């Protein structure tokens, strides 16, 4: 599994619910607890940071720039309904793992 490229990881996270659940289980706690300014909150950036952090825990070796490039490239081509579907799937996956952002 550690041979997966950033493009494959992002694609699989966006499309495969079972894989997304596994990724959510691997998100480092400090990323879930990270304070973010509400006036400048960027959900896409926050999710990208969480997914990249999880990729590191899962043993993938691609770097942050490579991941960010792929993340924004693939998210950028999603239609509005696809973005909403992924957002719901991401939140549902976090909830199903019992992991939520600490308030």
């Amino acid at each position: 599994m550690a041979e997966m490229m950033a493009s494959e990881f992002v694609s699989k996270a966006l499309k495969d619910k079972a894989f997304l659940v596994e990724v959510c289980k691997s998100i480092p706690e400090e990323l879930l607890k990270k304070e973010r300014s509400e006036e400048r909150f960027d959900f896409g950036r926050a999710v990208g940071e969480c997914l990249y952090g999880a990729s590191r825990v899962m043993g993938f070796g691609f770097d942050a720039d490579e991941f960010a490039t792929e993340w924004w490239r693939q998210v950028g081509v999603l239609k509005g309904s696809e973005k909403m579907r992924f957002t719901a799937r991401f939140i549902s996956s976090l909830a199903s793992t019992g992991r939520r952002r600490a308030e």
Side-chain angles (χ1 to χ4, degrees):
M1 182 187 277
E3 296 299 318
M4 189 180 288
M5 303 290 290
S7 60
E8 296 169 291
F9 183 91
V10 170
S11 180
K12 198 165 182 176
L14 288 171
K15 297 175 182 168
D16 183 336
K17 183 172 172 60
F19 182 71
L20 184 59
V21 169
E22 292 305 310
V23 170
C24 286
K25 289 177 185 176
S26 299
I27 298 171
E29 279 299 315
E30 62 270 12
L31 290 176
L32 293 175
K33 294 179 180 179
K34 184 177 179 180
E35 290 295 322
R36 301 178 193 278
S37 169
E38 287 188 31
E39 70 183 48
R40 296 192 55 172
F41 182 73
D42 182 334
F43 184 77
R45 182 181 192 95
V47 173
E49 288 175 1
C50 287
L51 296 183
Y52 178 71
S55 76
R56 304 304 293 170
V57 170
M58 296 170 80
F60 296 104
F62 39 83
D63 67 24
D65 289 337
E66 181 183 3
F67 180 86
T69 298
E70 274 306 312
W71 172 248
W72 291 114
R73 185 185 70 76
Q74 291 189 39
V75 168
V77 298
L78 294 178
K79 296 177 184 164
S81 61
E82 293 169 323
K83 287 179 183 176
M84 289 181 0
R85 197 171 11 259
F86 172 75
T87 298
R89 203 167 35 242
F90 178 75
I91 292 168
S92 172
S93 295
L94 274 180
S96 74
T97 64
R99 306 187 73 197
R100 294 182 180 83
R101 183 181 182 281
E103 295 301 324

